[in-house]
């Protein structure tokens, strides 16, 4: 079988509908679908009777109401967060106020590296900077309830504070935005780091899960094959960036239309950040030189 990525965009479950995915897992999709969120953020309910809710989603009163209706008559013991982008964690205060649950998971939002000029505004636009957990989980830390347990797996890359969670009882990984079946994860500096992302992919390749349940879209049914495809995809993107610099393109603005031919113009900004992430890694590895001390969208680049 080929290791090329075969994206699955067949997810059609309507937002707000409670879906039983397995004996231990239910899902409610937030109504925030779009180019970066696919059909919306997946909030997962783990357990029966006493439950954890993973990623309560955006600051959306309707979504919180649907989550509370889905767990009516049950005890929410934990609210678990994978990372602090605005489509994943801002509903935490409303859900905690309604349930009294303990908030656990990733730490407060932080950049993956030192900020360059003006990058603080970029970071603030994407981040839920108000999030502070009751308990910041580290790699291997576990929370549990009757018949279920969630073990933290540190997976920085999409964000510096990204965590995934293993549900050992079902050999499942809640992979957040690190690995998704519908699309590659955006790695956008200063939130993200390509070097950290690739290291986290390699880390997951050393673990054994039957299934991934991502933060958007449907499940990753063959995780190891999919991870191999992601590695190959990133290597191809890296080669494309090096080829464009070798062909004389000095700026990200010149590279994006060639590397991402056919991409909707509305997504060129996200593509530019992905190229920047590749270039940061190439500069750090000594393969490319940048005109600025901190590689930026406006820097000029050359092969070393």
């Amino acid at each position: 079988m080929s290791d090329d990525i075969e994206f699955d965009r067949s997810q059609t479950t309507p937002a707000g509908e409670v879906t039983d995915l397995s004996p231990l897992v239910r899902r409610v999709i937030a109504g925030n679908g779009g180019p970066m969120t696919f059909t919306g953020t997946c909030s997962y309910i783990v357990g029966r009777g006493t439950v954890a809710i993973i990623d309560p989603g955006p600051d959306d009163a309707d979504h919180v109401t649907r989550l509370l209706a889905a767990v009516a008559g049950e005890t929410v013991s934990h609210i678990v967060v994978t990372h602090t982008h605005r489509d994943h964690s801002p509903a935490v205060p409303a859900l905690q106020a309604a349930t009294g649950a303990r908030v656990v998971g990733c730490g407060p939002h932080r950049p993956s590296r030192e900020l360059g000029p003006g990058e603080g505004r970029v970071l603030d636009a994407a981040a839920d900077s108000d999030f502070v957990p009751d308990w910041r989980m580290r790699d291997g830390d576990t929370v549990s309830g009757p018949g279920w347990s969630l073990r933290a797996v540190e997976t920085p890359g999409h964000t510096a504070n990204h965590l995934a969670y293993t549900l050992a009882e079902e050999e499942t990984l809640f992979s957040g935005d690190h690995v998704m079946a519908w699309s590659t994860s955006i790695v956008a500096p200063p939130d993200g780091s390509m070097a950290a992302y690739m290291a986290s992919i390699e880390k997951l390749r050393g673990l054994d899960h039957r299934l991934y349940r991502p933060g958007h879209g449907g499940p990753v049914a063959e995780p190891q094959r999919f991870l191999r495809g992601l590695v190959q995809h990133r290597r191809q993107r890296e080669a494309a960036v090096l080829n464009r610099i070798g062909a004389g393109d000095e700026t990200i603005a010149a590279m994006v239309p060639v590397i991402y031919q056919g991409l909707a113009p509305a997504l060129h900004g996200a593509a530019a950040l992905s190229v920047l992430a590749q270039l940061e890694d190439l500069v750090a590895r000594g393969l490319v030189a940048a005109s600025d001390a901190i590689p930026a969208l406006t820097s000029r680049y050359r092969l070393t």
Side-chain angles (χ1 to χ4, degrees):
M1 296 175 69
S2 169
D3 290 334
D4 292 342
I5 302 176
E6 296 178 4
F7 293 118
D8 180 1
R9 299 186 174 97
S10 62
Q11 162 72 300
T12 58
T13 305
E17 183 174 298
V18 182
T19 304
D20 286 296
L21 300 176
S22 75
L24 286 175
V25 180
R26 289 164 279 173
R27 182 187 62 200
V28 183
I29 300 174
N32 62 334
M36 305 303 294
T37 57
F38 193 39
T39 60
T41 302
C42 296
S43 296
Y44 293 102
I45 302 165
V46 179
R48 304 281 170 169
T50 298
V51 306
I53 294 178
I54 300 176
D55 283 352
D59 184 11
D60 179 345
D62 288 341
H63 183 57
V64 172
T65 297
R66 294 186 189 105
L67 281 173
L68 292 173
V71 297
E74 299 179 285
T75 299
V76 181
S77 60
H78 298 86
I79 300 169
V80 185
V81 178
T82 61
H83 66 293
T84 44
H85 277 158
R86 292 184 184 273
D87 55 329
H88 285 261
S89 58
V92 164
L95 193 61
Q96 186 180 38
T99 63
R102 188 183 188 196
V103 178
V104 304
C106 67
H109 202 83
R110 65 185 190 275
S112 289
R113 53 144 173 84
E114 178 185 355
L115 294 178
E119 284 191 322
R121 293 190 299 275
V122 175
L123 191 71
D124 290 343
D128 175 12
S129 57
D130 295 327
F131 176 82
V132 179
D134 297 322
W135 180 39
R136 178 179 175 180
M137 298 178 72
R138 308 282 185 172
D139 201 63
D141 287 340
T142 302
V143 295
S144 61
W148 59 266
S149 60
L150 294 169
R151 180 175 60 84
V153 182
E154 291 183 356
T155 48
H158 176 66
T159 59
N161 65 350
H162 196 286
L163 295 179
Y165 300 94
T166 294
L167 177 63
E169 292 80 1
E170 294 189 347
E171 301 176 89
T172 293
L173 182 76
F174 294 95
S175 56
D177 282 7
H178 184 61
V179 180
M180 300 178 288
W182 78 282
S183 175
T184 56
S185 175
I186 185 169
V187 180
D191 268 1
S193 160
M194 185 59 68
Y197 173 84
M198 295 303 292
S200 294
I201 291 292
E202 291 302 322
K203 180 178 183 176
L204 292 186
R205 292 180 74 181
L207 302 177
D208 188 19
H209 295 98
R210 177 183 58 84
L211 189 76
Y212 288 179
R213 297 201 185 279
H216 305 274
V220 178
E222 297 182 70
Q224 288 300 322
R225 176 182 175 181
F226 199 82
L227 291 173
R228 290 192 297 269
L230 286 177
V231 171
Q232 181 64 20
H233 170 80
R234 294 296 180 179
R235 286 174 179 164
Q236 290 172 348
R237 286 287 189 228
E238 177 181 288
V241 170
L242 290 171
N243 287 340
R244 291 319 308 161
I245 298 174
D249 291 347
E250 295 184 335
T251 65
I252 292 174
M255 298 178 206
V256 166
V258 181
I259 295 174
Y260 292 88
Q261 292 185 29
L263 184 69
L267 297 178
H268 277 200
L273 288 169
S274 292
V275 172
L276 175 59
Q278 295 279 183
L279 285 164
E280 280 188 349
D281 185 41
L282 291 167
V283 169
R285 289 157 53 195
L287 299 175
V288 171
S291 60
D292 300 290
I294 299 175
L297 289 170
T298 55
S299 298
R300 306 190 81 82
Y301 297 92
R302 62 176 176 81
L303 299 179
T304 57

